[in-house]
């Protein structure tokens, strides 16, 4: 389809930066400093701060009971049904007694009801966070440290107490980090965790989770490992001990896994017909507990069960300050990962339902994607659904928890592995990223491999550092282009990409796709000189060399001419007589030598005269006079529209560009600079007597027309100017 051509004409004067500021009446922003607002006190500010840190006071008084209460009630019940088995299962990942998974499904949800801003995420236990906590607890309290001397069995009570102490101390540190980061408005940290990085990290974490559950699936007793390559060693140990598999445990896990998969497939098929998903996990747990109690799986087949679950809330215990130094690194990693997952999921639902979440509001724990989707799909509208689910969990803890004492751990492991399906499906990202963006694929692969080999904490650090370094590298290698004018327009595009774009004769327009700063300033200058087709540095070197020779020759001639003058002055005769005498003497002795000396003297007088009368004699320092090749353009225009900031290295590079190209008789102009960049140029004292705002134009087109009307060393083509 051909575009219909429309003739249009826009008349306006050429605008450099000075004229643009005068025309637009630019004024410097004199806003109140941010730190001053922190100390302002008023009723409105106090109310805003109260609602910011206690958002429940903003939305709860306006809660539409008739419209939303029934949906939140059904949603809360559905989520509680899911949280019961997931809480018990994910406690195993954390290396803790199962009841602590229920605690993590109650306290954080109720707290988030008061402080959270997302209406739909289901706060509580999450596989990735649980396995990160488990790597810490198992490294600080390994089974080998609690072996009893008599029968070489593990003192489970003492081990669990030590792990609970470590986990509670870790939770306090994570909370302190998240609250502190929220108070200093550090929510922007999530921007450094790109989507490929987060997806690769959760995929690697799902592999860690899968491997950690193999001991429960096969009924094996494995050594506790942590640190780099711990996953590899665990897989090798599982393979080594496979002959020791407890058959009853493996059969229980396989049967439970198949049942869970069938229920999930049925839910997917009947998703539109069912008002809420079938609680396959809860039904499986109830059925497995009944079979285990009736058949006696633990005593007859050696199947490991959950064990005693206290039917009460345990009193809080103070954290151990002695562990702070050993846990600070892991705590920060868990805080960042939990925050990133929660805020990412919260923003998805916020965009879908048209509200806003505060990225600086603290998140005590993370959230589950599957439970959040169930909470939304079953009619959940606000945090009331979470509060209702926490009340159901409280009832289970106080009254019903002890009924699950005979639940096989293999069933919980099967539930965990089946729930990893969504994260393991993220392996398909490799194919999609290969087609879409291979740089993001590189981030994905590095993150995944680093997390698998170096464990979760070090893997996250390596992934973030690599991602940031890749950003720096990409800014160091931007796309540089020489721009040409699209016919009959004021639009300039890369001549290498647009076949109809033509360079304006006598004018070079250069553009970089990235901002110029210390990391790529030198490359910017080098590429500019290369794209211009002139060896600028060599030309300047040759020019200086010739000027140096000319200067030395001038000094030598001055010295030779000074000797006869000194001799004449000592004899008291005039210079003219002495010169005539010299000429006569030279003529009588050596005619050719006399001619050489006379011509040399004439050259000296010419040089002196040219120094006094520049207007009458040609410039002896010009490229043409020196016999050097001249560039085929007289003006260079730097398109600075991509500049977002300016540092000192960029300032020096721009000044050097002006200096170097003026040395080869090319005038330099800048165009399309944003106002903040112009302000930074002024603050850096970039403009002076030789570089003024008259060298900075509002657009590339303005700069091109001005350059054609004011060439430095070549005539203007009036026809071309008219066309432009």
């Amino acid at each position: 389809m051909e575009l219909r051509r429309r003739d249009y004409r826009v008349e306006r004067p050429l605008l450099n930066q000075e004229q643009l500021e005068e025309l637009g009446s630019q004024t410097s922003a004199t806003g109140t400093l941010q730190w001053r607002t922190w100390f302002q006190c008023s009723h409105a500010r106090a109310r805003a701060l109260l609602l910011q840190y206690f958002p429940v006071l903003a939305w709860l008084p306006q809660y539409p009971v008739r419209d939303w209460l029934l949906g939140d009630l059904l949603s809360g019940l559905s989520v509680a049904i899911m949280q019961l088995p997931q809480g018990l299962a994910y406690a195993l990942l954390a290396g803790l007694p199962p009841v602590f998974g229920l605690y993590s499904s109650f306290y954080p949800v109720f707290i988030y009801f008061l402080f959270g801003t997302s209406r739909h995420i289901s706060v509580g236990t999450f596989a990735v966070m649980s396995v990160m906590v488990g790597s810490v607890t198992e490294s600080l309290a390994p089974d080998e440290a609690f072996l009893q001397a008599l029968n070489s069995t593990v003192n489970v009570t003492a081990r669990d107490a030590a792990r609970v102490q470590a986990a509670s101390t870790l939770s306090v540190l994570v909370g302190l980090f998240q609250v502190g980061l929220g108070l200093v408005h550090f929510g922007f940290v999530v921007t450094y965790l790109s989507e490929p990085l987060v997806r690769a990290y959760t995929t690697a974490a799902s592999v860690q989770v899968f491997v950690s559950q193999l001991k429960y699936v096969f009924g094996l007793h494995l050594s506790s490992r942590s640190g780099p390559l711990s996953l590899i060693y665990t897989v090798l140990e599982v393979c080594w001990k496979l002959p020791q598999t407890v058959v009853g445990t493996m059969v229980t896990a396989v049967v439970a896994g198949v049942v869970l998969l069938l229920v999930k497939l049925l839910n997917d098929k009947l998703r539109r017909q069912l008002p809420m998903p079938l609680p396959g996990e809860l039904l499986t747990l109830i059925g497995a507990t009944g079979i285990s109690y009736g058949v006696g799986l633990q005593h007859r087949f050696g199947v490991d069960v959950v064990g005693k679950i206290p039917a009460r809330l345990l009193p809080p215990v103070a954290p151990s300050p002695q562990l702070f130094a050993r846990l600070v690194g892991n705590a920060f990693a868990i805080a960042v990962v939990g925050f990133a997952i929660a805020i990412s999921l919260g923003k998805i639902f916020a965009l879908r339902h048209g509200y806003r979440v505060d990225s600086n509001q603290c998140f005590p724990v993370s959230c589950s994607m599957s439970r959040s989707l169930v909470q939304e799909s079953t009619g959940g509208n606000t945090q009331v659904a979470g509060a209702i689910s926490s009340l159901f969990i409280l009832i289970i803890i106080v009254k019903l928890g002890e009924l699950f004492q005979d639940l096989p751990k293999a069933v919980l492991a099967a539930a965990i592995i089946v729930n990893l399906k969504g994260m393991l499906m993220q392996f398909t990202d490799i194919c999609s990223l290969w087609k879409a963006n291979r740089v993001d694929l590189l981030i994905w692969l590095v993150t995944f491999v680093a997390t698998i080999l170096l464990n979760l904490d070090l893997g996250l650090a390596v992934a973030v550092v690599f991602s940031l370094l890749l950003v720096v590298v990409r800014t160091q290698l931007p796309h540089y282009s020489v721009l040409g004018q699209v016919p009959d327009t004021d639009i300039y595009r890369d001549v290498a990409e647009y076949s109809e774009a033509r360079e304006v004769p006598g004018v070079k327009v250069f553009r970089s796709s990235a901002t110029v700063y210390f990391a790529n300033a030198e490359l910017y200058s080098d590429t500019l000189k290369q794209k211009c087709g002139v060896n600028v540095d060599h030309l300047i070197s040759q020019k200086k060399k010739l000027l140096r020779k000319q200067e030395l020759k001038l000094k030598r001639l001055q010295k030779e001419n000074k000797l006869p003058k000194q001799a004449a002055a000592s004899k008291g005769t005039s210079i003219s007589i002495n010169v005539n005498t010299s000429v006569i003497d030279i003529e009588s002795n050596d005619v050719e030598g006399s001619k050489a000396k006379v011509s040399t003297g004439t050259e000296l007088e010419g040089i002196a005269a040219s120094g006094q009368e520049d207007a009458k004699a040609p410039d002896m320092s010009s490229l043409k006079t020196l016999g050097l090749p001249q560039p085929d353009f007289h003006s260079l225009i730097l398109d600075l529209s991509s500049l977002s900031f300016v540092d000192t290295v960029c300032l020096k590079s721009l000044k050097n560009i002006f200096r170097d190209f003026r040395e080869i008789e090319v005038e330099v102009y800048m165009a399309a600079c944003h106002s903040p960049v112009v302000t930074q140029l002024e603050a850096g004292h970039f403009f002076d007597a030789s570089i003024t705002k008259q060298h900075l134009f509002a657009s590339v087109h303005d700069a091109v027309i001005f350059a054609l009307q004011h060439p430095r060393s070549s005539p203007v083509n009036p026809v071309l100017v008219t066309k432009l």
Side-chain angles (χ1 to χ4, degrees):
M1 178 179 179
E2 293 185 0
L3 295 176
R4 185 175 59 182
R5 291 190 61 175
R6 295 180 180 178
D7 294 331
Y8 65 93
R9 183 180 179 86
V10 178
E11 291 187 0
R12 65 171 178 83
L14 299 181
L15 295 176
N16 57 37
Q17 186 63 29
E18 287 184 352
Q19 296 166 339
L20 181 61
E21 292 176 0
E22 182 179 355
L23 182 64
S25 301
Q26 183 186 19
T27 56
S28 59
T30 57
T32 305
L33 295 177
Q34 181 67 32
W35 64 270
R36 293 183 180 178
T37 62
W38 298 343
F39 300 99
Q40 292 178 355
C41 185
S42 64
H43 175 75
R45 176 164 172 75
R47 184 176 182 275
L49 286 175
L50 182 65
L51 296 180
Q52 177 183 354
Y53 292 109
F54 294 91
V56 65
L57 300 178
W59 63 265
L60 189 59
Q62 304 174 4
Y63 182 78
V65 178
R66 288 187 177 182
D67 298 332
W68 286 0
L69 182 59
L70 181 60
D72 284 338
L73 183 63
L74 293 176
S75 176
L77 177 60
S78 303
V79 172
I81 291 173
M82 289 186 67
Q83 273 193 328
L84 171 61
Q86 288 187 6
L88 294 173
Y90 291 156
L92 295 181
L93 286 178
L96 303 174
V99 70
F100 286 91
L102 299 180
Y103 294 156
S104 298
S105 301
F106 167 67
Y107 290 109
V109 181
F110 183 72
I111 294 174
Y112 191 79
F113 169 79
L114 301 176
F115 298 99
T117 56
S118 177
R119 302 176 187 173
H120 295 90
I121 64 172
S122 176
V123 177
T125 55
F126 182 52
V128 176
M129 302 287 289
S130 299
V131 75
M132 293 181 76
V133 174
S135 65
V136 176
T137 57
E138 291 182 2
S139 63
L140 292 180
D143 292 340
E144 293 79 3
F146 299 92
L147 293 176
Q148 296 177 342
L150 297 177
N151 51 9
S152 298
T153 58
V154 178
N155 188 343
V156 177
T157 304
R159 182 202 64 186
D160 289 348
R163 289 183 177 181
V164 169
Q165 181 73 25
S168 63
T169 305
L170 181 65
S171 300
V172 170
L173 276 178
V174 171
L176 290 176
F177 272 123
Q178 291 187 333
V179 171
L181 296 177
L183 291 176
V184 298
H185 294 268
F186 205 66
F188 68 90
V189 70
V190 73
T191 59
Y192 295 103
L193 303 177
S194 63
E195 183 181 1
L197 188 150
V198 173
R199 291 177 67 87
Y201 186 78
T202 53
T203 304
S206 67
V207 175
Q208 296 260 14
V209 172
F210 178 81
V211 172
S212 69
Q213 295 308 294
L214 292 179
K215 62 181 179 181
Y216 298 111
V217 171
F218 296 108
L220 303 175
H221 296 282
L222 304 179
S223 303
S224 299
R225 289 185 173 87
S226 62
L229 301 179
S230 58
L231 182 71
I232 307 300
Y233 292 134
T234 301
V235 172
L236 294 177
E237 187 176 3
V238 169
C239 296
W240 181 261
K241 291 187 177 181
L242 274 180
Q244 305 175 17
T245 299
V246 179
V247 178
T249 301
M250 185 180 67
V251 171
T252 302
V254 170
V255 172
V258 170
V259 172
L260 288 171
L261 279 176
L262 292 176
V263 174
K264 283 186 176 294
L265 292 175
L266 187 63
N267 281 331
D268 293 338
K269 189 173 183 179
L270 304 177
R271 180 173 49 188
R272 297 183 178 180
Q273 288 78 17
L274 296 174
M276 59 179 291
L278 295 175
E281 293 174 338
L282 180 62
L283 295 177
T284 303
L285 261 63
I286 293 174
T289 303
I291 294 174
S292 175
Y293 177 77
V295 178
L297 292 180
Q298 182 181 17
H299 302 291
R300 295 181 60 184
F301 301 100
V303 177
D304 197 9
V305 298
V306 169
K308 184 179 180 180
I309 299 178
R312 68 184 191 281
L313 292 176
L314 297 179
V317 179
S320 175
Q322 293 82 6
L323 296 176
F324 281 178
R326 301 176 63 182
L327 297 176
V328 63
N330 300 96
F332 184 78
I334 293 174
V336 172
V337 172
F339 167 77
I341 294 172
I343 194 60
S344 300
L345 193 57
K347 285 184 176 180
I348 291 174
F349 290 113
L351 291 174
R352 186 179 299 176
H353 294 276
Y355 63 91
R356 180 181 177 275
V357 293
D358 185 3
S359 60
N360 291 306
Q361 200 74 4
C362 61
F363 294 92
V365 292
S366 191
C367 57
S368 168
M369 170 68 84
S370 59
R371 292 198 309 271
S372 300
L373 291 174
V374 169
Q375 180 169 320
E376 182 207 25
S377 61
T378 53
N381 297 292
T382 63
Q383 295 92 319
V384 171
I388 292 173
S389 70
S390 67
L391 293 177
F392 279 114
I393 294 297
L394 177 62
I395 294 173
I396 293 171
I397 293 173
V398 175
K399 296 296 183 182
L400 304 177
E402 58 185 353
L403 298 179
F404 292 96
Q405 292 183 3
D406 291 309
L407 174 63
K409 290 183 178 181
V411 175
L412 295 178
I416 292 173
I417 292 174
V418 171
N419 280 324
L420 294 177
K421 175 188 173 184
M423 286 190 287
L424 292 175
M425 288 296 293
Q426 293 177 156
F427 277 111
T428 58
D429 290 352
I430 297 176
C431 297
S432 60
L433 290 176
W434 175 264
K435 299 176 182 178
N437 192 319
R438 296 185 183 180
V439 175
D440 284 345
L441 174 62
L442 183 61
I443 295 175
W444 199 101
L445 294 175
V446 170
T447 302
F448 179 81
V449 173
T451 306
I452 290 293
L453 297 180
L454 302 179
N455 219 340
L456 294 169
D457 48 357
L458 293 178
L460 177 63
V462 170
V464 172
V465 171
F466 178 79
S467 181
L468 294 178
L469 286 177
L470 200 58
V471 171
V472 175
V473 170
R474 295 172 78 175
T475 60
Q476 284 184 291
L477 301 173
H479 177 67
Y480 297 108
S481 55
V482 173
L483 305 185
Q485 184 188 24
V486 178
D488 301 326
T489 68
D490 60 350
I491 300 173
Y492 293 81
R493 290 293 183 266
D494 187 357
V495 294
E497 297 178 358
Y498 291 78
S499 58
E500 292 298 320
R502 295 289 184 268
E503 290 189 51
V504 178
V507 178
K508 286 283 185 183
V509 184
F510 182 76
R511 184 181 185 274
S512 169
S513 62
T515 190
V516 183
Y517 68 114
F518 68 91
N520 62 4
E522 184 177 358
L523 181 63
Y524 179 88
S525 301
D526 294 342
T527 309
L528 168 62
K529 295 173 182 178
Q530 179 185 355
K531 290 278 187 180
C532 287
V534 179
N535 195 334
V536 179
D537 296 332
H538 178 71
L539 198 56
I540 293 175
S541 176
Q542 291 294 106
K543 181 180 178 180
K544 289 182 177 180
K545 187 181 295 184
L546 291 175
L547 289 176
R548 180 63 178 167
K549 287 183 178 180
Q550 194 177 71
E551 182 182 357
L552 293 175
K553 188 176 183 180
L554 178 61
K555 290 181 178 180
R556 180 173 57 82
L557 291 175
Q558 287 177 342
K559 185 177 180 181
E560 291 178 355
N561 193 43
K562 192 174 182 181
L563 293 176
K565 290 183 180 180
Q566 291 177 348
S570 62
K571 295 179 180 179
T573 56
S574 66
I575 297 176
S576 59
I577 295 173
N578 186 38
V579 170
N580 292 333
T581 305
S582 300
V583 173
I584 294 171
D585 293 339
I586 293 170
E587 287 179 351
S588 60
N589 294 309
D590 190 352
V591 177
E592 293 182 4
S594 169
K595 289 182 180 180
K597 288 190 178 180
V598 170
S599 63
T600 304
T602 305
E603 182 178 320
L604 177 60
E605 292 174 0
I607 294 174
S610 66
Q612 296 173 358
E613 301 179 1
D614 292 335
K616 294 182 180 180
D619 184 9
M620 301 300 294
S621 63
S622 65
L623 297 177
K624 185 177 181 180
T625 306
L626 294 173
L628 295 174
Q630 295 177 273
D632 59 353
F633 59 97
H634 55 76
S635 299
L636 171 65
I637 298 173
L638 304 178
D639 182 357
L640 301 182
S641 57
S642 61
L643 257 66
S644 57
F645 66 92
V646 174
D647 60 4
T648 55
V649 179
C650 176
L651 290 174
K652 291 179 180 179
S653 296
L654 291 176
K655 279 184 172 291
N656 290 339
I657 290 172
F658 271 83
R659 181 200 64 200
D660 291 346
F661 278 89
R662 284 175 173 176
E663 281 284 335
I664 61 171
E665 302 167 12
V666 174
E667 188 54 74
V668 183
Y669 303 99
M670 300 181 295
C673 225
H674 301 295
S675 295
V677 176
V678 176
T679 304
Q680 294 176 30
L681 290 174
E682 291 176 333
H685 305 289
F686 177 75
F687 298 108
D688 52 23
S690 61
I691 307 175
T692 66
K693 288 186 178 181
Q694 294 180 359
H695 292 87
L696 178 58
F697 288 86
S699 69
V700 172
H701 193 60
D702 288 357
V704 169
I705 295 177
F706 183 86
L708 290 172
Q709 292 177 345
H710 302 81
R712 178 162 179 161
S713 59
S714 64
V716 183
N717 186 344
V719 178
L720 181 61
V721 175
T722 304
K723 288 183 179 180
L724 289 172

